[in-house]
Amino acid sequence: MRKKPATVRIARWSATHPWSAIGLWVVFVALCLLLGGAAGSHKISDEESGVGESGRAGRITAAGDFPEKPEENVLITAEDGRTFDAGAAREAAQDLSRRMRSLPEVEDVAPAVPSPDGRALLVTVTMKGDTENADQRVQPLLDAGAATERAHDGLRIDEVGTGSTAKGLGEALGEDFVKAELISLPLTLLILLVVFGAVIAAGVPVVLALSCVGAATGLSALASHVLPETSAVSSIILLMGMAVGVDYSLFYLKREREERQKGATPLDAVEIAAKTSGHTVVVSGTTVIVAMAGLYLADEATFASLATGSIIVVAVAVLASLTVLPALLAKLGRWVDRPRVPFLWRLTMRSGDSKLWPVLLRPALVRPVLTLVVSVGALLLLALPALDMRLKQPGSDDLSRDIPVVRAMDRLTGAFPGKGTVHQVAVRAPADRADEVGAALDGLLERTAGDDLFAHDRTPVIRASADGRVHTVQVGTPHSPRSDGARDSLELLRTWVPQAMEGVPGAESAVGGKVAQGVDFTGHLKDRMPWVVGFVLLLTFVTMAGIFRSPAVALSAILLNLLSAAASFGVLVAIFQHTWAEDLLDFHSSGAVVSWLPLFLFVVLFGLSMDYHVFVVSRIREAARKGANVRDAVREGITRSAGVVTSAAIVMVGVFAIFGTLSMVEFKQLGVGLAAAILLDAVVIRVFVLPALMIALGRWNWWPTGPAAGRRDRPAVGPDDTLRLRPVPAGRPPSAAREHGHVPSGSAPRPRPRDHRPASWRR
């Protein structure tokens, strides 16, 4: 007797020991959260995240070990933005300074500085402590500013700085994510109620997905001490965890219910679901993990962090589907279909073939070549805008102006341009060359003073490290970070700095800052993208060819996913590089796509699209193995899988679309891009392109081994097979013929084929 697949053995143990499996899962999740919370997370530092020259500038600056103090900029302007009483403003500045100095959180308050146009005053406040937790200690300063504003009519007081900006943005974005969670959970439950028509069946995938997110969050915190994490990881874990966690449970639960409807006992139904959907979950999860691993080839700390978080949450979701889900289904038994929602229950339990899907599939079944040409042409048309894709790093320009601290930043940089876009010049040289470095930087600043590309509202200050080996200076520009002027000033500075340091032997110089980081990051991605894309395509081909033993299936999977990814990129560019959708999605177009998004989106889409592709093609192959021709196999496979694939796609689109409502443009673009891609993949690719392509390929779909090859566990003779019997040698008696498996022609009826399936499956 052949050994059962690992998915079946694990599921059977969990189903026969449900309380043990459930208890182990609860302990696992609690342990992950406990250990992750105790260890904390290690965030990516500036020197770890930088690439190119800006990364080198960050490392040079870090080598200087400069004491970093949190700084707050308090801006005093007229309440109406125009009329300004200088005397009243000076009195308010003195009052503010007195209040600030009395606070235990404040170390120093600088004298008020007037703006170049004379319509604003700036008071710089230095806080005690480090910059990491300044946002937690800045509230007394904000209260002092608010009290000063109330005491002086006609004046407006804004505060922007290390702590206040982090606090303001953190609160706004935190509210966004809370809103997203509050919407996503009821929406997912509602969709699953429609899918299952029963409350418990709808709740199981959501509870399981949330437990996966919790466990992955704790494990990610532990992993951050090896690979530092970016602040976006928690959002990516939530996004991916809810999507794949619900989908994998949905695949499993749907198949288990289908087998129970056919008369299988709960235990047998779990085993069959483990053998079919459980295998699909393992393959799909492996494909997603392989695709996400390609991000490590980007050779950049942010992408490594995103890859690690995604891989962890997908692996946890696969583990949950194979272990605790069978235990829950076995323990619940038929109670999983309680309490029933009357109308929805009857709708989901309707017997008979679907009437909708044969109609939708008719073009592909009747005119496969024409359908293929038209549908592929439509997707290529959607992809056209992607040819004009422009990339940029997200910055303050991309933040919603509904956030108070963002409006305050605008007023501050309008009055004091040098506080806005800043280039960081860093120089490292032998300590005995410190005077020469200082003189060279003085000469550099004299050149910038005569150029309009640079800001002149304040005098740049040269800082030297304690050992005299590192010097830094910040050079401001009046142009916004995304403007041509900011990039032109960067290019000019990167030309002037090496010229200034030519006379200093052993000097190493670099120019960094936000603009430089964006330019270098985009250039780095363009260089690394071919490696990542090539890795994902190659590994996907090898994985799919290994599963289906068919190069045609593997190649078609790659081409179809490339097509849906290209179409989603076109949608992304059409929406976010133009202004027509600004009011609809509540964003301000920067004329570009966030630079890290296309590569991350490509990898995620390739992984998630494989979920559906593996599931659908597996069902088509099941039908082909029973002897159906290609057209009938495609019809049966897609029709039988349509319900679960459509349900899973709706869940994913719903979760992703919610991210399109967030304030940060990168998450808005990520949510819209993923939602568009999954929608196109589930509708256009699965309904038109895939069936038309497989019918057009015909028998070449399964070349060279055929649909049944490569299956170690398939029956020697299936229930629908016809016995092929050897002729009986002449003179052999009937008894000997029967004994040796020979039946003379016309002598007796053909025996029924033996059912070689395990006893637990013969239900």
Side-chain angles (χ1 to χ4, degrees), residues 438-504:
L441 289 177
D442 284 334
L444 173 70
L445 295 177
E446 288 178 7
R447 294 184 73 176
T448 62
D451 196 301
D452 291 338
L453 284 174
F454 302 98
H456 309 303
D457 56 284
R458 61 182 183 138
T459 302
V461 177
I462 300 173
R463 295 195 304 169
S465 62
D467 59 7
R469 295 177 61 249
V470 177
H471 291 72
T472 66
V473 63
Q474 291 185 340
V475 181
T477 174
H479 304 284
S480 66
R482 71 183 182 197
S483 66
D484 292 336
R487 287 188 291 272
D488 291 343
S489 65
L490 173 66
E491 292 177 8
L492 191 58
L493 204 55
R494 283 183 166 176
T495 301
W496 287 353
V497 169
Q499 294 174 359
M501 295 301 147
E502 283 179 352
V504 184

Side-chain angles (χ1 to χ4, degrees), residues 345-397:
W345 172 257
R346 289 195 299 272
L347 192 66
T348 60
M349 297 304 292
R350 285 187 307 178
S351 59
D353 295 333
S354 168
K355 296 180 180 179
L356 173 63
W357 285 98
V359 174
L360 294 176
L361 288 173
R362 187 174 299 158
L365 297 174
V366 177
R367 299 264 196 279
V369 176
L370 179 61
T371 303
L372 186 63
V373 171
V374 171
S375 54
V376 169
L379 290 173
L380 290 176
L381 194 63
L382 276 178
L384 273 180
L387 297 176
D388 187 40
M389 182 183 290
R390 294 186 292 275
L391 303 177
K392 69 175 286 293
Q393 276 282 73
S396 59
D397 292 339

Side-chain angles (χ1 to χ4, degrees), residues 644-678:
V644 66
V645 169
T646 304
S647 303
I650 292 173
V651 170
M652 277 199 179
V653 170
V655 172
F656 294 152
I658 290 170
F659 273 69
T661 66
L662 302 185
S663 299
M664 290 186 71
V665 70
E666 54 259 58
F667 289 121
K668 193 180 289 288
Q669 291 184 5
L670 177 64
V672 171
L674 285 171
I678 297 299

Side-chain angles (χ1 to χ4, degrees), residues 543-580:
T543 303
M544 295 298 289
I547 296 166
F548 292 104
R549 305 293 196 270
S550 168
V553 169
L555 187 60
S556 64
I558 288 174
L559 293 177
L560 295 187
N561 282 313
L562 283 174
L563 192 59
S564 63
S568 68
F569 287 163
V571 171
L572 198 64
V573 170
I575 291 175
F576 289 99
Q577 282 189 193
H578 304 283
T579 59
W580 62 271

